[in-house]
Amino acid sequence: MPKRVRAESKEKKLDIRDVARSAKVSVATVSRTMNLVPTVDEKLSRRVWQAIEELNFYPNTQARALKSGRSRIFGLILSEITNPFFPELVQGFEESAIKDGYEILITSISHDHSRMELAVRRMLERKVEGVAVMTFGVELPYLDRLAAADIPLVFVDDGPPVPRRTILQVDYATGIRQGVQHLAALGHQRIACISGPPQQLSSRLRYDAFLESMREMDLPIEPELLVKGDHTLQGGAAGARRLLSLQQPPTAVMCSNDLTAIGLLRAASQAHVSVPRDLSVIGFDDIHLADFVSPPLTTVRMSRAALAEAAVGALRSHAEASPDRIAPENARFVSIPTLLTVRRSTGLCAWP
């Protein structure tokens, strides 16, 4: 056999695992690099691309889809990538997908409708077998194009009435109730809340859970202690300054997410307010950073791994179901638990 033919035969046998071995990285890192995920370490990314070039590796996903009739690609749509919650979610989603033999196509829309249109077009072109819309209730156009193509969809909290959908319902109430009960047990009565963007369903659900928990504990709800935030560090700091400027500031604050709580911690430190001696703080999400701030943050844990595994499992269930078992008019619901994680940002109330 001529050398050129033997070389071409050898190239055809290469796959992503060969690239991972050559670059001395995981298969997941190769997949993230090839999908241009921005959170991949720069040094690892260079090694992957160098290995791809040296091996002359060109994954022909379109040819594979034509041959098998399946792309084995799942789409993942995120509202943003700057919040540490989402890269952690991406990691879990990718690990679950790769374990089950799927690749992923990721898009961060940053609340931009034009980017959403581009994302949907890319996913239709790549013939994805399902899409997880992890935007936590942001109103999104263009999803009807995915539904019209009979592509299974997964949403968090709620979603439009499209066929073959799964709703991941986060149990906000349990974790937030545990947080309010924890503060009440420490003697806190004057408890504030910095909520998230009202246009996000998840923010509204967390806020409603806080109010309901306060009522259950027969704790006073004071309008001046209810501050609207935006789920950013800056929003948390601004909310903290507003609360600390009150004639009678709160002794504890529940925040709609961890970034808000971390911004609050910084503003409190700048104002020489000690946490938890003068002010107890609780976040929501339990991002990795929450355990490394000072003091370590008490927070309500919402497992990214549970969200990712549930999303991939739902998409697989839809994608691999035989046509006679599909009930397009019915939505599937999967519950995602929450749990209070107590660290050192909460303490006994120092004020009567």
Side-chain angles (χ1 to χ4, degrees):
M1 180 183 293
K3 290 183 179 179
R4 183 176 178 182
V5 174
R6 285 200 300 267
E8 288 177 354
S9 298
K10 185 177 181 181
E11 285 175 9
K12 290 179 181 177
K13 295 179 182 178
L14 291 174
D15 61 25
I16 193 172
R17 290 168 293 187
D18 297 300
V19 176
R21 279 194 293 269
S22 178
K24 294 182 172 59
V25 298
S26 68
V27 171
T29 296
V30 176
S31 177
R32 287 199 298 270
T33 301
M34 294 174 63
N35 279 289
L36 304 179
V37 177
T39 55
V40 178
D41 180 81
E42 186 177 347
K43 291 182 179 179
L44 296 181
S45 178
R46 284 200 298 267
R47 278 162 49 185
V48 169
W49 288 118
Q50 182 179 351
I52 289 173
E53 184 176 353
E54 291 174 351
L55 293 172
N56 199 25
F57 175 67
Y58 297 98
N60 194 339
T61 54
Q62 291 182 337
R64 179 183 63 191
L66 287 172
K67 182 178 180 180
S68 67
R70 297 187 58 192
S71 68
R72 298 196 71 85
I73 300 173
F74 287 147
L76 177 60
I77 299 177
L78 308 172
S79 54
E80 59 179 322
I81 203 69
T82 55
N83 185 331
F85 177 89
F86 288 101
E88 294 173 16
L89 178 62
V90 169
Q91 181 179 8
F93 188 90
E94 183 181 46
E95 288 175 353
S96 294
I98 288 176
K99 180 181 65 177
D100 294 331
Y102 289 83
E103 297 179 34
I104 63 172
L105 179 62
I106 305 169
T107 298
S108 172
I109 63 171
S110 300
H111 311 293
D112 184 339
H113 286 184
S114 63
R115 292 185 64 172
M116 180 62 189
E117 182 179 17
L118 178 61
V120 169
R121 185 186 311 147
R122 287 177 63 212
M123 291 182 182
L124 290 170
E125 289 172 352
R126 293 287 298 275
K127 300 186 183 302
V128 296
E129 296 192 38
V131 177
V133 185
M134 298 292 195
T135 56
F136 291 83
V138 177
E139 186 64 31
L140 298 173
Y142 312 114
L143 290 179
D144 56 338
R145 293 174 59 189
L146 295 173
D150 198 29
I151 294 175
L153 298 171
V154 170
F155 301 94
V156 179
D157 297 328
D158 197 7
V162 295
R164 304 180 72 186
R165 62 178 170 139
T166 297
I167 309 296
L168 307 182
Q169 293 186 319
V170 180
D171 181 13
Y172 298 107
T174 295
I176 290 175
R177 183 183 298 111
Q178 290 173 349
V180 172
Q181 290 173 346
H182 173 63
L183 292 174
L186 292 171
H188 294 280
Q189 295 283 317
R190 194 168 170 78
I191 303 173
C193 175
I194 302 180
S195 61
Q199 70 270 22
Q200 290 188 11
L201 177 60
S202 65
S203 297
R204 300 197 300 271
L205 292 173
R206 296 176 198 197
Y207 181 67
D208 291 343
F210 169 78
L211 295 179
E212 182 60 28
S213 298
M214 292 286 285
R215 296 187 189 101
E216 288 178 1
M217 296 298 297
D218 199 25
L219 294 169
I221 299 173
E222 303 185 35
E224 66 178 356
L225 300 184
L226 305 177
V227 176
K228 184 187 300 182
D230 59 6
H231 280 175
T232 67
L233 296 168
Q234 296 80 3
R241 288 190 290 269
R242 176 175 168 182
L243 290 170
L244 294 175
S245 68
L246 295 174
Q247 185 173 2
Q248 187 180 359
T251 63
V253 183
M254 285 206 68
C255 300
S256 188
N257 77 341
D258 287 344
L259 283 187
T260 298
I262 293 170
L264 185 153
L265 291 178
R266 178 179 174 84
S269 176
Q270 292 173 334
H272 305 291
V273 173
S274 175
V275 176
R277 186 190 63 197
D278 302 323
L279 182 70
S280 286
V281 180
I282 296 181
F284 193 105
D285 286 338
D286 196 19
I287 60 176
H288 291 317
L289 186 61
D291 198 23
F292 292 90
V293 295
S294 182
L297 183 65
T298 295
T299 183
V300 176
R301 177 171 177 75
M302 176 171 61
S303 171
R304 272 77 66 204
L307 272 171
E309 290 176 6
V312 172
L315 292 178
R316 278 194 63 199
S317 177
H318 279 297
E320 298 173 6
S322 58
D324 59 333
R325 296 181 59 189
I326 296 175
E329 71 280 0
N330 296 324
R332 303 180 185 180
F333 296 90
V334 179
S335 179
I336 305 297
T338 59
L339 180 70
L340 181 68
T341 300
V342 178
R343 298 193 179 100
R344 297 209 308 267
S345 68
T346 49
L348 290 170
C349 181
W351 307 103

mmCIF file of all heavy atoms in Angstrom, residues 205-221:
data_model
loop_
_atom_site.group_PDB
_atom_site.id
_atom_site.type_symbol
_atom_site.label_atom_id
_atom_site.label_comp_id
_atom_site.label_asym_id
_atom_site.label_seq_id
_atom_site.Cartn_x
_atom_site.Cartn_y
_atom_site.Cartn_z
ATOM 1 N N LEU A 205 -38.771 34.286 42.028
ATOM 2 C CA LEU A 205 -39.085 33.125 42.859
ATOM 3 C C LEU A 205 -38.288 33.152 44.161
ATOM 4 O O LEU A 205 -38.807 32.807 45.229
ATOM 5 C CB LEU A 205 -38.806 31.837 42.089
ATOM 6 C CG LEU A 205 -39.729 31.560 40.892
ATOM 7 C CD1 LEU A 205 -39.250 30.340 40.112
ATOM 8 C CD2 LEU A 205 -41.168 31.360 41.363
ATOM 9 N N ARG A 206 -37.030 33.559 44.103
ATOM 10 C CA ARG A 206 -36.213 33.655 45.311
ATOM 11 C C ARG A 206 -36.756 34.749 46.240
ATOM 12 O O ARG A 206 -36.815 34.561 47.455
ATOM 13 C CB ARG A 206 -34.755 33.961 44.934
ATOM 14 C CG ARG A 206 -34.097 32.855 44.143
ATOM 15 C CD ARG A 206 -32.686 33.215 43.709
ATOM 16 N NE ARG A 206 -32.261 32.332 42.610
ATOM 17 C CZ ARG A 206 -31.007 32.163 42.222
ATOM 18 N NH1 ARG A 206 -30.040 32.810 42.834
ATOM 19 N NH2 ARG A 206 -30.713 31.352 41.230
ATOM 20 N N TYR A 207 -37.127 35.874 45.650
ATOM 21 C CA TYR A 207 -37.675 36.977 46.438
ATOM 22 C C TYR A 207 -38.989 36.562 47.110
ATOM 23 O O TYR A 207 -39.197 36.804 48.315
ATOM 24 C CB TYR A 207 -37.894 38.180 45.527
ATOM 25 C CG TYR A 207 -38.446 39.408 46.211
ATOM 26 C CD1 TYR A 207 -37.689 40.105 47.147
ATOM 27 C CD2 TYR A 207 -39.720 39.879 45.908
ATOM 28 C CE1 TYR A 207 -38.191 41.244 47.764
ATOM 29 C CE2 TYR A 207 -40.233 41.013 46.511
ATOM 30 C CZ TYR A 207 -39.464 41.694 47.449
ATOM 31 O OH TYR A 207 -39.968 42.809 48.058
ATOM 32 N N ASP A 208 -39.863 35.921 46.360
ATOM 33 C CA ASP A 208 -41.135 35.460 46.929
ATOM 34 C C ASP A 208 -40.909 34.436 48.038
ATOM 35 O O ASP A 208 -41.621 34.432 49.054
ATOM 36 C CB ASP A 208 -42.018 34.849 45.839
ATOM 37 C CG ASP A 208 -42.522 35.879 44.842
ATOM 38 O OD1 ASP A 208 -42.463 37.086 45.157
ATOM 39 O OD2 ASP A 208 -42.968 35.477 43.744
ATOM 40 N N ALA A 209 -39.908 33.563 47.856
ATOM 41 C CA ALA A 209 -39.595 32.568 48.885
ATOM 42 C C ALA A 209 -39.094 33.240 50.162
ATOM 43 O O ALA A 209 -39.411 32.794 51.267
ATOM 44 C CB ALA A 209 -38.550 31.592 48.359
ATOM 45 N N PHE A 210 -38.322 34.320 49.999
ATOM 46 C CA PHE A 210 -37.853 35.065 51.173
ATOM 47 C C PHE A 210 -39.033 35.668 51.936
ATOM 48 O O PHE A 210 -39.136 35.520 53.167
ATOM 49 C CB PHE A 210 -36.880 36.165 50.756
ATOM 50 C CG PHE A 210 -36.551 37.132 51.855
ATOM 51 C CD1 PHE A 210 -35.650 36.783 52.860
ATOM 52 C CD2 PHE A 210 -37.148 38.385 51.903
ATOM 53 C CE1 PHE A 210 -35.358 37.672 53.893
ATOM 54 C CE2 PHE A 210 -36.861 39.278 52.920
ATOM 55 C CZ PHE A 210 -35.957 38.918 53.929
ATOM 56 N N LEU A 211 -39.936 36.335 51.231
ATOM 57 C CA LEU A 211 -41.078 36.971 51.884
ATOM 58 C C LEU A 211 -41.949 35.929 52.585
ATOM 59 O O LEU A 211 -42.392 36.140 53.731
ATOM 60 C CB LEU A 211 -41.906 37.750 50.863
ATOM 61 C CG LEU A 211 -41.221 38.948 50.196
ATOM 62 C CD1 LEU A 211 -42.173 39.598 49.189
ATOM 63 C CD2 LEU A 211 -40.760 39.968 51.228
ATOM 64 N N GLU A 212 -42.198 34.812 51.920
ATOM 65 C CA GLU A 212 -43.019 33.764 52.504
ATOM 66 C C GLU A 212 -42.355 33.184 53.751
ATOM 67 O O GLU A 212 -43.027 32.909 54.764
ATOM 68 C CB GLU A 212 -43.270 32.661 51.479
ATOM 69 C CG GLU A 212 -44.157 31.528 51.978
ATOM 70 C CD GLU A 212 -45.546 31.992 52.397
ATOM 71 O OE1 GLU A 212 -46.030 33.021 51.848
ATOM 72 O OE2 GLU A 212 -46.148 31.337 53.270
ATOM 73 N N SER A 213 -41.054 33.009 53.721
ATOM 74 C CA SER A 213 -40.335 32.474 54.877
ATOM 75 C C SER A 213 -40.376 33.447 56.054
ATOM 76 O O SER A 213 -40.506 33.026 57.211
ATOM 77 C CB SER A 213 -38.879 32.182 54.498
ATOM 78 O OG SER A 213 -38.803 31.196 53.490
ATOM 79 N N MET A 214 -40.277 34.737 55.759
ATOM 80 C CA MET A 214 -40.366 35.743 56.824
ATOM 81 C C MET A 214 -41.747 35.684 57.476
ATOM 82 O O MET A 214 -41.867 35.766 58.718
ATOM 83 C CB MET A 214 -40.097 37.132 56.247
ATOM 84 C CG MET A 214 -38.672 37.361 55.780
ATOM 85 S SD MET A 214 -37.493 37.567 57.140
ATOM 86 C CE MET A 214 -37.891 39.252 57.668
ATOM 87 N N ARG A 215 -42.781 35.527 56.665
ATOM 88 C CA ARG A 215 -44.136 35.445 57.216
ATOM 89 C C ARG A 215 -44.296 34.183 58.061
ATOM 90 O O ARG A 215 -44.914 34.214 59.132
ATOM 91 C CB ARG A 215 -45.168 35.463 56.084
ATOM 92 C CG ARG A 215 -45.186 36.751 55.275
ATOM 93 C CD ARG A 215 -46.354 36.764 54.292
ATOM 94 N NE ARG A 215 -46.251 37.882 53.367
ATOM 95 C CZ ARG A 215 -45.804 37.790 52.118
ATOM 96 N NH1 ARG A 215 -45.462 36.600 51.638
ATOM 97 N NH2 ARG A 215 -45.731 38.850 51.338
ATOM 98 N N GLU A 216 -43.750 33.072 57.575
ATOM 99 C CA GLU A 216 -43.850 31.814 58.319
ATOM 100 C C GLU A 216 -43.198 31.928 59.701
ATOM 101 O O GLU A 216 -43.685 31.345 60.673
ATOM 102 C CB GLU A 216 -43.185 30.684 57.532
ATOM 103 C CG GLU A 216 -43.957 30.230 56.307
ATOM 104 C CD GLU A 216 -43.218 29.141 55.551
ATOM 105 O OE1 GLU A 216 -42.115 28.747 56.007
ATOM 106 O OE2 GLU A 216 -43.730 28.672 54.519
ATOM 107 N N MET A 217 -42.107 32.691 59.784
ATOM 108 C CA MET A 217 -41.392 32.856 61.053
ATOM 109 C C MET A 217 -41.935 34.026 61.867
ATOM 110 O O MET A 217 -41.410 34.345 62.932
ATOM 111 C CB MET A 217 -39.898 33.066 60.784
ATOM 112 C CG MET A 217 -39.210 31.872 60.133
ATOM 113 S SD MET A 217 -39.267 30.385 61.172
ATOM 114 C CE MET A 217 -38.313 30.928 62.585
ATOM 115 N N ASP A 218 -43.001 34.671 61.342
ATOM 116 C CA ASP A 218 -43.619 35.818 62.006
ATOM 117 C C ASP A 218 -42.599 36.935 62.246
ATOM 118 O O ASP A 218 -42.585 37.581 63.295
ATOM 119 C CB ASP A 218 -44.253 35.390 63.338
ATOM 120 C CG ASP A 218 -45.296 36.407 63.824
ATOM 121 O OD1 ASP A 218 -45.850 37.132 62.980
ATOM 122 O OD2 ASP A 218 -45.529 36.462 65.052
ATOM 123 N N LEU A 219 -41.739 37.147 61.246
ATOM 124 C CA LEU A 219 -40.738 38.208 61.322
ATOM 125 C C LEU A 219 -41.228 39.427 60.560
ATOM 126 O O LEU A 219 -41.912 39.299 59.543
ATOM 127 C CB LEU A 219 -39.406 37.727 60.726
ATOM 128 C CG LEU A 219 -38.708 36.595 61.491
ATOM 129 C CD1 LEU A 219 -37.559 36.031 60.670
ATOM 130 C CD2 LEU A 219 -38.210 37.106 62.842
ATOM 131 N N PRO A 220 -40.899 40.623 61.022
ATOM 132 C CA PRO A 220 -41.395 41.842 60.359
ATOM 133 C C PRO A 220 -40.766 42.028 58.977
ATOM 134 O O PRO A 220 -39.562 41.814 58.795
ATOM 135 C CB PRO A 220 -40.964 42.962 61.317
ATOM 136 C CG PRO A 220 -39.789 42.394 62.054
ATOM 137 C CD PRO A 220 -40.061 40.932 62.205
ATOM 138 N N ILE A 221 -41.594 42.413 58.001
ATOM 139 C CA ILE A 221 -41.108 42.721 56.653
ATOM 140 C C ILE A 221 -41.199 44.231 56.479
ATOM 141 O O ILE A 221 -42.289 44.797 56.411
ATOM 142 C CB ILE A 221 -41.958 42.009 55.586
ATOM 143 C CG1 ILE A 221 -41.872 40.491 55.769
ATOM 144 C CG2 ILE A 221 -41.487 42.406 54.192
ATOM 145 C CD1 ILE A 221 -42.815 39.722 54.854
#
